[in-house]
Amino acid sequence: KVLEEPKDRNLFVLLVPQRINLLSTIQSRSFILTLKWKAPIYEDEEVERITEQLVRFWKDGKGLFEITQKKMDKEVIKSVIFIIQQSIFESVLDNRAGSLEVFFRERITGENLWKLTYTLEHSLYMLQCNVSPTAVFEWMALNLYKWFA
């Protein structure tokens, strides 16, 4: 309530990873400043390969074991998650037409968007808590597969 009807000279600064996580009533009463996305931490061929294999898994439900049979690096998984977040964001804005953005554009609905963003944010949180990167990756991959199927 205090955000909807603030007293004079009150200023609130809200920082969120995605604006969509804020209630529309709060968004409508806010001055919104969008900051540039941070570049992926660890962008290389391995990140691209894992991202491509992950999308193939989401499309046909096969190949997850091939991705996770080797020990997975925490920074690589973080980069994969950041690339997925950026691609979801771009697909919602209809900005880029890369294969990942097209994949998300065809599958994202208002109903599953918040589930997707929650899953990705929770995956990053689990990595910060030192949960096994392979376990985090499998959990994320299977949860997103469930919503894309």
Side-chain angles (χ1 to χ4, degrees), residues 1-7 9-15 26 29-31:
K1 194 70 176 166
V2 74
L3 289 173
E4 292 179 355
E5 299 170 10
K7 294 182 179 181
R9 298 184 174 258
N10 280 355
L11 176 69
F12 299 95
V13 177
L14 306 174
L15 301 173
I26 293 174
R29 292 170 174 82
S30 301
F31 172 77

Side-chain angles (χ1 to χ4, degrees), residues 13 20 32 57 100 118 141:
V13 177
I20 198 158
I32 296 176
F57 167 70
L100 202 50
Y118 169 80

